[in-house]
Amino acid sequence: MKNKFYVAFVGLVSSLRDKSVQIQYFLAILACIAAWIIGCNYYEWLAILLCIGLVVVTEILNTCIEKLCDLYSTERNEKIKYIKDLAAGGVLFASLIALGVGILVFIHHLI
């Protein structure tokens, strides 16, 4: 059981090497700093952290899908493009939901 957690931890650390994931971690840190500054309550923190988790997980999975597709073929392939586009669309959707939650939380404190 310990080995499974170790492997998962190694995967999480490995995700830090990917530029797209690094950007998501950076934005997550900024969101947490902003939430701390404006004094978010328990439920607002819960919403923010869930959104951060959603976006980071989708970005990591998107990166995995891209790497798997590249293992299959690096040449132009419409089916692979479609798969990559869907994965990227998942990240975009998660990011838009997170943005919406962020706007609702932060506007509530600024008004």
Side-chain angles (χ1 to χ4, degrees), residues 11-12 14-28 51-67 84 86-95:
L12 192 58
S14 295
S15 73
L16 290 169
R17 287 188 233 139
D18 184 79
K19 189 70 171 167
S20 297
V21 178
Q22 289 173 354
I23 292 168
Q24 297 303 342
Y25 283 132
F26 177 73
L27 293 173
C51 287
I52 287 170
L54 175 68
V55 173
V56 170
V57 166
T58 55
E59 188 62 65
I60 290 171
L61 291 174
N62 177 51
T63 300
C64 291
I65 290 167
E66 288 179 356
K67 302 283 184 201
K84 287 182 173 186
L86 282 177
V91 176
L92 177 61
F93 185 78
S95 298

Side-chain angles (χ1 to χ4, degrees), residues 34 37-40 44 102-111:
I37 288 171
I38 66 170
C40 285
E44 292 166 333
I103 288 170
L104 289 173
V105 168
F106 291 107
I107 292 230
H108 171 75
H109 283 272
L110 298 174
I111 294 178

